[in-house]
Amino acid sequence: MDKKILLVNADDFGRHELINKAVEEGLLHGMIRSATVMVTARAFDGAVELARKYPQLSMGIHFTLVDGRPVLPPDQIPSLVQAGTGVFYPDHGAFVKHFLKGRVRLSEVRAECEAQLEKFLQTGLVPTHADSHQHMHVLPGIIDVVLGLCVRAGIPAVRIPAIPVDLLDTRPANLGEQVGRAGLHILAERARRKAERRGLGAPDHFGGIVAGRAVDSACIRTLLLGARSGVTEIMLHPGLDDAVLQADSHWDHSYETELAAVTDPANLELARELGVELGNFRIFASSRS
């Protein structure tokens, strides 16, 4: 593909009404053309309403196995929830430790992801892609579950979070982040090969936050200036009020910074000047038809 397509996807759609409003703002006045929805979250109905209102927004499913509540009763998926709480493990670190000890049953992962997908499909909307909260879908075994569900439901594309690794940045303070990036990159490229064998599409390149750093306007400008041929997905977590959302999510992330980055008029103009197209995940459905 000779075209340069920037695919800005808003994660955590449906988690909070201030995130939903930010997705709407980014769609109408910025670069957002795609979002993935958390069906287990309390603002899910509002996200569905916006997706129906704006058909130009492609909406995928944000499979959630950490940091949230399940669709299924906790007693049906005991290996996925914290004992006595009925909620998922708080973050990827806690889940991966549990997973590496062999305590996560893939049959329960499949059952919960099936339930989440069914809740999405009951809205009558057609999912354009799949990814997961904190990238849990690329873990061994779990990627096979997710790809199988995508094939069965006719979901044409999946996220491949192959975040670039900066091998030149060897600062001790940055070592942990680079090790994390390297591990994620290896798992993501393995997931890409599996997706290709199942006939699923995926963006060619990936960018977004790692270790809580927000994508700011300067970052978007750099990505535009260095845009490569093909499809580049930018993962975003936009929101309208950092104080409220940080308290709600227990995550020290600047949601406002990321929304400002993709609604910056200078970045929108630069994309036009450079001939970088703004797209969404429906391009993968078109390529398969």
Side-chain angles (χ1 to χ4, degrees):
M1 180 184 291
D2 293 329
K3 291 182 179 179
K4 297 177 180 179
I5 299 174
L6 190 66
L7 195 164
V8 178
N9 187 85
D11 284 20
D12 294 2
F13 197 30
R15 182 165 188 162
H16 196 285
E17 57 269 18
L18 292 175
I19 293 175
N20 291 353
K21 290 177 180 177
V23 171
E24 182 178 27
E25 177 74 13
L27 174 67
L28 296 178
H29 305 293
M31 297 179 170
I32 293 175
R33 299 290 183 273
S34 176
T36 33
V37 69
M38 300 177 80
V39 305
T40 63
R42 66 176 180 270
F44 170 66
D45 290 342
V48 169
E49 184 179 339
L50 286 174
R52 289 174 174 155
K53 181 179 179 180
Y54 300 110
Q56 66 269 41
L57 179 73
S58 83
M59 189 165 80
I61 184 167
H62 200 53
F63 285 114
T64 302
L65 296 171
V66 300
D67 184 30
R69 292 184 177 276
V71 170
L72 292 176
D75 62 359
Q76 293 185 21
I77 50 167
S79 77
L80 303 183
V81 297
Q82 299 175 89
T85 68
V87 300
F88 291 134
Y89 284 83
D91 55 35
H92 67 280
F95 182 87
V96 169
K97 288 178 183 178
H98 190 60
F99 178 83
L100 292 176
K101 291 177 181 178
R103 295 176 180 171
V104 172
R105 299 186 187 96
L106 288 179
S107 61
E108 294 178 13
V109 171
R110 182 176 295 105
E112 174 60 23
C113 288
E114 284 178 339
Q116 291 183 21
L117 180 57
E118 180 58 27
K119 185 173 180 179
F120 185 115
L121 295 175
Q122 286 175 357
T123 68
L125 295 169
V126 179
T128 57
H129 59 295
D131 57 33
S132 66
H133 196 43
Q134 300 186 22
H135 306 315
M136 293 299 92
H137 72 288
V138 300
L139 288 174
I142 295 180
I143 181 61
D144 301 291
V145 169
V146 168
L147 293 179
L149 291 175
C150 287
V151 170
R152 195 173 76 190
I155 299 173
V158 65
R159 168 180 290 164
I160 301 298
I163 194 76
V165 181
D166 186 359
L167 297 177
L168 299 179
D169 192 343
T170 57
R171 294 170 297 153
N174 194 51
L175 182 60
E177 179 180 333
Q178 294 306 323
V179 169
R181 284 186 179 219
L184 179 58
H185 190 95
I186 291 169
L187 289 173
E189 289 301 338
R190 179 176 177 270
R192 184 190 301 281
R193 292 191 293 273
K194 284 177 171 284
E196 288 173 348
R197 287 197 293 270
R198 302 296 294 269
L200 296 175
D204 304 290
H205 319 293
F206 180 80
I209 61 163
V210 167
R213 293 198 309 237
V215 174
D216 59 17
S217 288
C219 179
I220 293 293
R221 177 177 175 81
T222 298
L223 288 166
L224 287 170
L225 291 171
R228 291 175 282 177
S229 295
V231 180
T232 299
E233 181 188 358
I234 303 300
M235 178 182 67
L236 213 68
H237 293 76
L240 292 183
D241 190 321
D242 280 352
V244 171
L245 292 173
Q246 287 171 1
D248 181 77
S249 65
H250 307 291
W251 183 29
D252 185 21
H253 173 70
S254 183
Y255 299 84
E256 294 177 48
T257 294
E258 296 207 329
L259 178 60
V262 293
T263 55
D264 185 340
N267 283 333
L268 290 165
E269 179 59 30
L270 180 61
R272 285 190 288 268
E273 291 176 357
L274 296 174
V276 177
E277 297 183 18
L278 301 177
N280 64 38
F281 273 93
R282 289 195 181 95
I283 61 176
F284 295 103
S286 299
S287 66
R288 296 177 72 195
S289 60

